[in-house]
Amino acid sequence: EKDTTQECSDAGSTTSKHSATPRRMPSEVQHHDEIEIVAARMKKASENAPDHLVPVPVHSRKGHATPNKMLLWGVLFVQKCTQLGQKPPTQGVWRCCCTEDCQKEIQQVAVPGAKNGRSKHQTVLDHLANQHAVMKQEDHSSYRNSEEASELAAEETRAVAILGSTERYYSIRIARATIKKALAFSFWEDFEVRAVQNRGARYESAQSVRRHVGEQFWEFVKARRATFEKVHSNALLPCYHLNADLWTSKITNKKYLGVRIFYPNLGKIQSTLLACTLYNPPAPPPGTEKSRASEIVLKYIFEVLSYYSVPQQKLAGATSDGGSDLKRAFDVLAREQIVGFQWSWCIPHLLHCALQHALGTDKDPRMSKNKECRAFINSLRKVIEHFSKSPESMAALVDQQLERQLQRGPTSDEQQAAAYILEGENGGKVLKLLHNVSQRWSSSIDMLERMLFLWESVSGASAKRMREFPLTEQNEEYVQLYSLVQPVGVLMAEAQGTTKFILVKCVYLIIALWQQTLNPDEQLIAQHPREQEKQKFGSFSQDKLTPLVRSTRLLLSAAVEERLLERYALKKHALHRAWWWDMGMWLYPPLANNMKHVNILLNLRHTTDERWTKDEVEKETKERIVQLMTSAALNKHKRSQQRSDKAARNEAPGGTQNIAAALFTASKRQLQAPEEVQRGGRDASKRARRGGSNVNTQLKGMESSDEDEDGGGADGETRTGTPSFKVQADRELTRYLAVAKMTTSKPEGRSGYDTVLPENLEDWLQTRQQEFPLLYAVFSHVQTHIVSSAQIERDFSAASHVLPATRNQTEAVYFQAQLICLLNFENLVSPCNMPQKEPTIEEMNGLMPADGFGADIYSERRPMPDADPEMEGWDSGSE
């Protein structure tokens, strides 16, 4: 956006030779406000078009915005096709929409993509250039080229002045290009590449490029260490959340451990990929239990955090899939070593398992719990496979889509270009049927959605091929099944967000899913990719559902309850229960001190175990929030005291007596602090070393003991008049509840959760950060929690591009460096800020982290002894 504004300002400084109006750029560098104004005029002109004309949308053949300024600054109207077999129009009337006054119309303008017809494009471009100062394409290209050349020359001049040589500058540029395009290090050794290289660049061998990529990685690590130091030094509570997973490369057959960290910064969630390191631990000795794998995984993760100078005690929680190694590493071992640490299961992983269970689409048919639904989906898969494998049937499907887009008969090759451009049911694009993949989230939902969207086209293509469409009589049953699983897909898609606070919104969607979609006492609201069909079906009562959909609904409800709502059912597992959901809902102003969602989620239909009650959940949640606020107050006091002591030491003269006096003043201030700072902090640290498992353990003993030793009264103040940290937290919480009830409206609707979503909670609290500093610290601690491990899965997808089949010999350390720099490319140090001295190969190898970041590792995996049954499956991955 900054670059766009700069280019617009640069363009405005140049005046046209035909007009005194500042020259404007095409749409790709227009100001957003101007784009919206022109789009509004174009929409108004399209709505006022005669009945026999239709507007041509701004779509290219691939669905991207066309660079043709004719369609960006005006509307092109063409004759509407009303009969089957009618040829598509190749000419139209163009109407200008640059200004309200200008309604210039130009006749016989060729439709983009048409191969015949008289073209009036030049007349349109001349009008835009002369009357509205819009650059022509050739002027725009030369302008951009000259601007880029001048910018590069200016940057090169600045960089050379700092770095000392042109060769150094271009070496850095080559490394950045290698990172951004995921090139092989040996790419720059090719003669053809060297022939077109800049003359200022020197010959770069693969070893040299590898060294410069490592240098970029090392500079990024130093900058990231400084960022982390600033983040956790300013945070009053643990602020880091982790994603971790294991990935096996299909090219090298080596296993890698990926670690990504999330943290709040400037009111948003930011994340950084820390490692994708080679995971090759030594085989455990005979007699070692299977849990050895979890200990190794956690050791690797702690080594990565140590490399980036992230303290373990600053970790608030982690999210991963349900693999036994990662689950035990976080949910058991990390809880024992880190006070207040909480692990949660990735919601998309969890829902994917629940969908597989309910639909019977397990990879192994013998594991299927719903064989009828599995056969029902397989019949759909057979139709999709037929169209995928038959070129004739696929061509018929394409023709059917084009017929419905243009309301005409089959097209010839010459006419298909115009067919892609004109307004259609799917934006002028031809779609394909999708397959479901057992390992891919929402793939079954996407397959159902695409088939329902193209149902008429598939049916018409089958009739054209003289075949009977086998699913004709099952349309309503497929709509019912899609209506059942579509809300699950919406929740999975929302949970994959990683750049904003989405915890509370995901809980809202879980409530809606459990209360409406999976409740057999409620009607199933019809869902359909086409709005008209959705309105036609309306909703389905339980007795109107087919037996297959009815049984699938019960299975899905039981699977979601077993996996998603066990936190309310299994009271005996309270120590391993994550409280992120309840704390997030409690902090939301309309629901503060009114946790209705617990009653809804406690309505379990398939579990008879001892469960929580609403009062117990609300009491425990409030206690945890108060304890976190108390801890924040304690840390705030310690930080203020450290600053005061530092200021006293800086102000003290160099004399020994004055320095001693300053230290005496600091120690006296320590003695006057609330008792919990002196005694409670020491007790809490001892409990943490003994393996405390929750926030109660951390804060027990920190509460005020004024009545016992300081003679404090019931108001909770010490003898020095300073309120205890517990009292500070209670007072701030009371103020927050009063303000929240006054400034927010009560949710409307049948249950209060189906119409209101927390869109701007972070903005609401940010504006009151000074008023509620402790509560805002708790909010940042809770809402930064990521509910899915989607981002680490995306990192592994990028890793497969960085490590293709042609790079199977790439060193794991430099593969990791290139991947991390690629995924954090915007945060890399610019060439002008790189150090002038170029490191040697030996120095660079010494700076790079070792495989495993210092954890025990073997260069080649040693097979486990077959004779020891206890060792079987010790290295099972998360899959």
Side-chain angles (χ1 to χ4, degrees):
E1 227 174 291
K2 185 183 295 184
D3 296 340
T4 302
T5 307
Q6 182 65 31
E7 289 178 0
C8 288
S9 62
D10 293 342
S13 62
T14 307
T15 55
S16 171
K17 62 181 180 180
H18 302 288
S19 172
T21 306
R23 303 187 69 180
R24 292 181 290 180
M25 303 292 291
S27 173
E28 57 264 31
V29 290
Q30 265 186 289
H31 195 274
H32 294 289
D33 296 339
E34 190 172 7
I35 293 177
E36 293 177 0
I37 294 173
V38 174
R41 296 193 193 113
M42 293 171 65
K43 182 179 180 181
K44 184 177 179 181
S46 302
E47 293 173 351
N48 297 333
D51 294 336
H52 66 284
L53 296 179
V54 293
V56 175
V58 185
H59 283 295
S60 68
R61 183 165 182 170
K62 293 184 179 180
H64 304 296
T66 174
N68 195 331
K69 292 186 288 298
M70 175 186 71
L71 296 182
L72 295 176
W73 295 92
V75 182
L76 179 64
F77 296 96
V78 296
Q79 192 77 21
K80 183 185 296 185
C81 299
T82 58
Q83 299 178 359
L84 291 178
Q86 182 178 351
K87 291 184 177 182
T90 58
Q91 297 179 7
V93 179
W94 182 82
R95 180 182 298 172
C96 180
C97 295
C98 285
T99 62
E100 289 283 358
D101 300 333
C102 183
Q103 295 293 325
K104 175 73 174 179
E105 289 190 356
I106 300 177
Q107 304 288 332
Q108 295 180 332
V109 177
V111 174
K115 294 188 177 181
N116 54 355
R118 182 181 175 188
S119 175
K120 287 290 186 68
H121 284 185
Q122 193 59 41
T123 306
V124 173
L125 299 180
D126 289 341
H127 169 77
L128 292 174
N130 297 336
Q131 300 299 325
H132 304 290
V134 177
M135 279 188 180
K136 294 184 179 180
Q137 188 64 34
E138 56 271 16
D139 296 337
H140 171 240
S141 299
S142 60
Y143 173 82
R144 290 295 298 268
N145 291 337
S146 62
E147 284 294 306
E148 291 177 358
S150 61
E151 290 178 4
L152 289 175
E155 181 182 353
E156 180 180 352
T157 303
R158 294 194 304 269
V160 169
I162 297 173
L163 300 176
S165 68
T166 307
E167 292 181 351
R168 170 74 169 145
Y169 169 73
Y170 279 104
S171 297
I172 297 174
R173 275 292 178 190
I174 288 174
R176 292 173 66 89
T178 304
I179 293 169
K180 189 172 185 179
K181 298 300 181 182
L183 299 175
F185 298 141
S186 59
F187 173 81
W188 305 97
E189 293 180 343
D190 188 85
F191 175 77
E192 298 298 333
V193 176
R194 298 205 309 270
V196 298
Q197 233 176 319
N198 190 294
R199 294 183 179 181
R202 63 190 176 192
Y203 169 75
E204 295 287 347
S205 63
Q207 191 176 25
S208 177
V209 175
R210 184 188 299 111
R211 172 163 49 91
H212 291 300
V213 169
E215 184 185 5
Q216 289 283 326
F217 169 75
W218 174 245
E219 293 297 327
F220 167 77
V221 169
K222 292 194 296 184
R224 204 55 20 179
R225 286 175 178 175
T227 301
F228 292 152
E229 175 67 26
K230 182 178 179 181
V231 168
H232 63 247
S233 62
N234 292 333
L236 298 177
L237 292 171
C239 54
Y240 295 117
H241 294 257
L242 294 180
N243 268 176
D245 205 351
L246 294 170
W247 171 69
T248 301
S249 172
K250 296 180 180 179
I251 304 303
T252 62
N253 291 325
K254 295 180 180 179
K255 185 174 287 188
Y256 296 86
L257 173 65
V259 181
R260 179 172 278 271
I261 192 170
F262 297 85
Y263 52 94
N265 194 13
L266 301 177
K268 296 181 180 179
I269 298 178
Q270 295 187 0
S271 67
T272 300
L273 178 65
L274 299 183
C276 187
T277 185
L278 187 65
Y279 181 76
N280 193 12
T288 306
E289 57 183 2
K290 297 179 182 180
S291 60
R292 173 68 175 166
S294 302
E295 299 175 4
I296 295 175
V297 168
L298 191 62
K299 182 178 180 181
Y300 271 64
I301 294 174
F302 283 166
E303 292 290 349
V304 171
L305 296 177
S306 176
Y307 181 80
Y308 284 89
S309 302
V310 177
Q312 296 179 16
Q313 299 304 321
K314 294 295 183 180
L315 293 180
T319 304
S320 69
D321 57 18
S324 58
D325 45 7
L326 285 167
K327 181 178 180 181
R328 185 177 183 276
F330 287 134
D331 199 29
V332 179
L333 303 179
R335 279 179 183 267
E336 296 174 353
Q337 301 180 36
I338 304 174
V339 177
F341 187 90
Q342 298 184 61
W343 169 84
S344 63
W345 192 357
C346 168
I347 288 181
H349 269 104
L350 184 150
L351 293 176
H352 179 68
C353 295
L355 272 178
Q356 279 191 325
H357 175 85
L359 300 179
T361 55
D362 303 82
K363 197 171 183 179
D364 187 357
R366 295 172 297 179
M367 302 294 294
S368 176
K369 304 296 183 183
N370 193 350
K371 298 187 182 300
E372 294 80 8
C373 188
R374 184 184 183 92
F376 186 66
I377 292 178
N378 283 342
S379 63
L380 178 60
R381 287 172 56 93
K382 291 179 181 179
V383 174
I384 296 173
E385 289 176 0
H386 167 73
F387 279 90
S388 300
K389 296 178 180 179
S390 173
E392 295 81 6
S393 297
M394 190 63 201
L397 177 61
V398 172
D399 286 341
Q400 285 292 316
Q401 291 187 59
L402 295 177
E403 286 181 22
R404 281 162 175 74
Q405 289 178 24
L406 300 175
Q407 300 180 2
R408 60 175 181 80
T411 63
S412 62
D413 294 338
E414 292 78 16
Q415 299 169 343
Q416 283 203 13
Y420 279 101
I421 294 297
L422 295 181
E423 183 72 45
E425 57 187 5
N426 53 7
K429 295 183 291 184
V430 173
L431 303 177
K432 294 182 179 180
L433 297 174
L434 301 177
H435 291 268
N436 68 330
V437 183
S438 59
Q439 297 87 358
R440 186 173 298 168
W441 301 341
S442 303
S443 60
S444 297
I445 303 174
D446 296 337
M447 180 181 67
L448 286 169
E449 180 177 352
R450 183 60 58 84
M451 174 56 78
L452 290 175
F453 186 81
L454 298 178
W455 190 276
E456 294 182 357
S457 299
V458 174
S459 178
S462 300
K464 185 177 180 180
R465 294 278 296 157
M466 302 300 179
R467 296 174 180 269
E468 182 181 357
F469 185 39
L471 308 179
T472 303
E473 303 298 330
Q474 299 174 323
N475 177 266
E476 184 173 346
E477 192 166 16
Y478 277 110
V479 172
Q480 292 180 3
L481 185 61
Y482 176 73
S483 302
L484 176 64
V485 299
Q486 191 267 349
V488 179
V490 172
L491 174 57
M492 294 173 72
E494 184 66 33
Q496 294 179 43
T498 57
T499 59
K500 57 182 180 180
F501 304 114
I502 60 172
L503 175 62
V504 176
K505 189 170 184 178
C506 287
V507 178
Y508 267 86
L509 294 176
I510 292 171
I511 292 170
L513 176 68
W514 181 248
Q515 187 181 19
Q516 179 68 43
T517 306
L518 301 181
N519 188 357
D521 299 331
E522 298 288 340
Q523 291 188 342
L524 181 63
I525 299 176
Q527 304 291 340
H528 200 283
R530 295 184 183 276
E531 190 63 30
Q532 294 180 350
E533 296 292 327
K534 179 180 177 180
Q535 296 176 0
K536 183 181 75 172
F537 286 105
S539 60
F540 305 97
S541 59
Q542 183 72 1
D543 57 341
K544 294 291 181 65
L545 297 176
T546 63
L548 184 145
V549 178
R550 195 180 304 129
S551 61
T552 304
R553 191 181 193 183
L554 294 176
L555 282 172
L556 183 58
S557 175
V560 169
E561 178 178 318
E562 178 185 358
R563 292 166 174 83
L564 203 63
L565 303 181
E566 66 174 359
R567 64 189 65 238
Y568 299 111
L570 303 178
K571 190 176 179 180
K572 57 186 178 182
H573 295 160
L575 291 179
H576 294 276
R577 183 188 189 279
W579 293 85
W580 300 115
W581 293 12
D582 303 308
M583 288 192 294
M585 295 293 284
W586 203 95
L587 288 171
Y588 183 49
L591 304 177
N593 206 19
N594 189 19
M595 301 177 66
K596 295 182 179 179
H597 77 282
V598 178
N599 279 338
I600 298 173
L601 298 181
L602 278 173
N603 184 23
L604 306 179
R605 312 180 186 106
H606 310 278
T607 304
T608 58
D609 295 340
E610 183 183 5
R611 63 187 68 176
W612 293 81
T613 64
K614 181 196 172 185
D615 294 337
E616 291 175 339
V617 174
E618 184 172 359
K619 179 182 178 181
E620 181 71 18
T621 303
K622 183 177 179 180
E623 286 181 358
R624 285 177 173 268
I625 290 177
V626 172
Q627 290 160 1
L628 287 171
M629 294 176 66
T630 304
S631 180
L634 169 64
N635 294 331
K636 183 179 179 182
H637 175 81
K638 287 182 177 180
R639 188 175 301 166
S640 176
Q641 181 179 338
Q642 290 173 359
R643 285 197 297 264
S644 301
D645 295 344
K646 183 178 180 180
R649 287 193 297 269
N650 293 336
E651 293 175 0
T656 305
Q657 296 180 353
N658 292 332
I659 293 178
L663 293 176
F664 175 77
T665 303
S667 61
K668 184 178 179 181
R669 187 185 300 107
Q670 173 72 19
L671 292 174
Q672 293 176 351
E675 179 66 18
E676 58 220 86
V677 177
Q678 305 174 44
R679 187 180 62 187
R682 293 191 296 270
D683 295 344
S685 62
K686 292 179 181 178
R687 292 186 186 90
R689 288 193 295 270
R690 289 198 299 265
S693 59
N694 52 33
V695 184
N696 271 325
T697 307
Q698 180 186 14
L699 297 173
K700 188 176 180 181
M702 292 184 182
E703 299 178 0
S704 177
S705 56
D706 303 327
E707 296 183 7
D708 297 336
E709 299 185 9
D710 293 338
D715 57 356
E717 293 187 354
T718 64
R719 59 187 177 186
T720 60
T722 304
S724 70
F725 302 128
K726 178 70 164 53
V727 173
Q728 293 179 32
D730 288 336
R731 291 177 180 177
E732 182 171 319
L733 193 59
T734 303
R735 294 200 316 271
Y736 168 73
L737 294 177
V739 173
K741 290 181 179 179
M742 290 188 298
T743 57
T744 58
S745 59
K746 186 178 180 180
E748 300 176 357
R750 179 169 50 82
S751 61
Y753 295 100
D754 48 2
T755 58
V756 179
L757 287 177
E759 301 293 347
N760 299 310
L761 173 59
E762 60 272 17
D763 297 336
W764 191 89
L765 277 175
Q766 269 190 337
T767 57
R768 294 163 174 80
Q769 184 175 358
Q770 300 298 327
E771 185 179 358
F772 306 111
L774 305 181
L775 199 72
Y776 185 78
V778 176
F779 169 81
S780 299
H781 169 81
V782 173
Q783 294 294 340
T784 311
H785 177 68
I786 300 298
V787 297
S788 79
S789 58
Q791 188 57 52
I792 199 69
E793 302 289 349
R794 299 187 189 107
D795 296 338
F796 291 152
S797 298
S800 62
H801 293 287
V802 177
L803 197 64
T806 55
R807 302 189 64 190
N808 57 354
Q809 299 298 323
T810 304
E811 296 180 42
V813 173
Y814 286 97
F815 152 69
Q816 173 183 246
Q818 188 174 3
L819 175 64
I820 291 177
C821 290
L822 172 63
L823 297 175
N824 299 282
F825 190 82
E826 295 181 355
N827 297 321
L828 293 183
V829 178
S830 65
C832 295
N833 295 327
M834 293 291 289
Q836 184 176 2
K837 183 182 178 182
E838 186 174 344
T840 63
I841 297 176
E842 292 75 14
E843 292 174 345
M844 199 67 257
N845 291 335
L847 294 174
M848 297 295 290
D851 289 332
F853 284 79
D856 297 335
I857 193 167
Y858 285 163
S859 57
E860 296 294 337
R861 179 171 297 279
R862 297 184 180 180
M864 295 186 302
D866 298 332
D868 189 1
E870 294 294 330
M871 302 307 301
E872 186 177 355
W874 74 276
D875 198 24
S876 59
S878 59
E879 291 83 11

